[in-house]
Amino acid sequence: MLNLERLRTLDALARHGSVSGAAAGLHITTSAVSQQLAKLEREAGQRLLAKNGRGVRLTDAGRLLAEHAARILSQVELAQADLEAQRGQVAGELRLSAFPTAARGLFPAALAALRAEHAALRLRSCELEPERGINGVVRGDIDLAVVLDWYNKPMPLPDGLVKAPLLDDPADVAMPAGHRLADREEVDLAEFAEDEWITWGEGEFCHEWLMFTLRSKGIEPIIGHRAAETHTQLGLVAAGLGVCIAPLLGRHPMPEGVLTVPLRQRVRRHVYVVWRADADRRPSIRAAVQALRTAAERLG
């Protein structure tokens, strides 16, 4: 008989691609991962792993069993969800992630409400950029992720995920109070062709959106500084070091010396929460989605 926890370890190795990645995803030591997989090999009666340089790779038998493990674990998730739904109890552990401004703008109110209303629910949250949050949900490391996309650049969602909208987040251009366009009622992105931009990290979804949007207007962006957090970007703007896109969510309080001006073509981020379809009936998922929606509504 194959042990379920060892199958879970094999599934984590297949998803993460390394023993260390599997250990981090399962919150156990690398030694524990190796021991679990060695026992699983004895249970299966076949080699599941082979050396690959300084790491390991799955053998043909390992890949075959990993595919079965993913399906078995999905069925277990469905069974647990059905049992939770039958009991109707919001209990157990719930792991959530959000991109930084949503973590600051939505999590305090939503998580406090969940704790107050559901004493048996254990909450674990972290900040993750949208793509990493989605990957975490797909891998099973996270139960819900608050993510975003932009009005002109959707975020692709893998099969097997469910999403619910939370809010549309308007974005303006933030600039120093002495900027040549600071007294305008609205501006166009093309008017910032000669400005230095303060943007997100290389490869992050919001950075790629900004590059895509500016280049679609014939502007090759001048990137002066990068910062993951809106308030860090606004601090750099206050110092006169450039301009940035400033979504409404998470930008208050505004630093002294910074003004925001709306764009002529209204720019919005779509903020939503995603979770696995096989966990859809869990009462804790439904309670968390409702708490996040309530927190979003209070932001106006």
Side-chain angles (χ1 to χ4, degrees):
M1 180 72 78
L2 297 173
N3 179 279
L4 183 62
E5 285 310 307
R6 290 167 197 150
L7 289 177
R8 194 182 303 280
T9 304
L10 179 65
D11 176 66
L13 178 71
R15 289 186 283 103
H16 292 279
S18 68
V19 171
S20 59
L26 295 170
H27 305 291
I28 60 177
T29 65
T30 55
S31 175
V33 170
S34 297
Q35 291 173 20
Q36 290 275 54
L37 293 173
K39 291 177 182 178
L40 185 60
E41 283 190 324
R42 290 196 291 272
E43 289 174 352
Q46 297 188 60
R47 286 190 66 195
L48 304 176
L49 303 176
K51 288 189 177 297
N52 184 32
R54 300 176 66 179
V56 296
R57 62 173 176 82
L58 293 174
T59 63
D60 289 344
R63 284 195 297 272
L64 177 65
L65 187 55
E67 290 172 3
H68 282 290
R71 289 192 289 270
I72 290 167
L73 293 169
S74 179
Q75 286 300 119
V76 170
E77 180 84 44
L78 281 170
Q80 290 173 333
D82 284 346
L83 285 171
E84 278 191 35
Q86 187 179 52
R87 290 196 306 266
Q89 294 178 341
V90 179
E93 182 174 271
L94 194 66
R95 300 157 298 173
L96 307 93
S97 76
F99 58 95
T101 50
R104 176 153 42 87
L106 295 175
F107 271 6
L111 301 189
L114 282 169
R115 174 172 285 183
E117 294 170 20
H118 307 289
L121 183 62
R122 298 187 306 277
L123 298 167
R124 302 288 181 268
S125 71
C126 64
E127 287 187 359
L128 288 177
E129 290 299 327
E131 289 153 314
R132 291 185 61 198
I134 288 172
N135 289 338
V137 173
V138 170
R139 291 195 306 264
D141 302 334
I142 295 168
D143 298 307
L144 295 114
V146 179
V147 300
L148 64 88
D149 58 23
W150 293 84
Y151 74 103
N152 61 341
K153 192 173 177 63
M155 169 76 78
L157 277 186
D159 293 338
L161 298 189
V162 180
K163 73 175 184 178
L166 296 177
L167 70 140
D168 278 352
D169 188 24
D172 304 325
V173 178
M175 62 194 77
H179 193 277
R180 67 186 186 282
L181 302 176
D183 61 350
R184 295 274 293 277
E185 291 187 3
E186 59 182 17
V187 291
D188 192 281
L189 281 174
E191 296 179 276
F192 297 92
E194 303 303 320
D195 285 271
E196 284 194 41
W197 282 92
I198 299 161
T199 181
W200 297 266
E202 183 74 36
E204 290 184 13
F205 183 71
C206 288
H207 170 78
E208 296 304 315
W209 164 80
L210 182 61
M211 300 300 99
F212 166 80
T213 303
L214 291 172
R215 286 167 179 161
S216 71
K217 295 180 175 295
I219 302 169
E220 184 55 37
I222 303 169
I223 305 301
H225 306 277
R226 300 178 187 277
E229 236 289 344
T230 298
H231 267 234
T232 305
Q233 294 184 12
L234 292 172
L236 294 169
V237 172
L241 297 172
V243 300
C244 74
I245 295 293
L248 183 61
L249 180 63
R251 80 183 182 199
H252 295 295
M254 187 70 69
E256 186 176 348
V258 177
L259 295 176
T260 58
V261 180
L263 285 156
R264 188 168 293 115
Q265 180 185 15
R266 295 295 183 251
V267 170
R268 289 182 177 272
R269 302 190 301 183
H270 307 303
V271 179
Y272 51 97
V273 58
V274 300
W275 64 95
R276 293 185 305 281
D278 55 18
D280 194 44
R281 295 187 63 196
R282 288 177 59 187
S284 56
I285 295 282
R286 294 171 179 249
V289 171
Q290 184 55 53
L292 287 164
R293 281 180 159 167
T294 299
E297 288 169 3
R298 287 174 180 163
L299 293 175

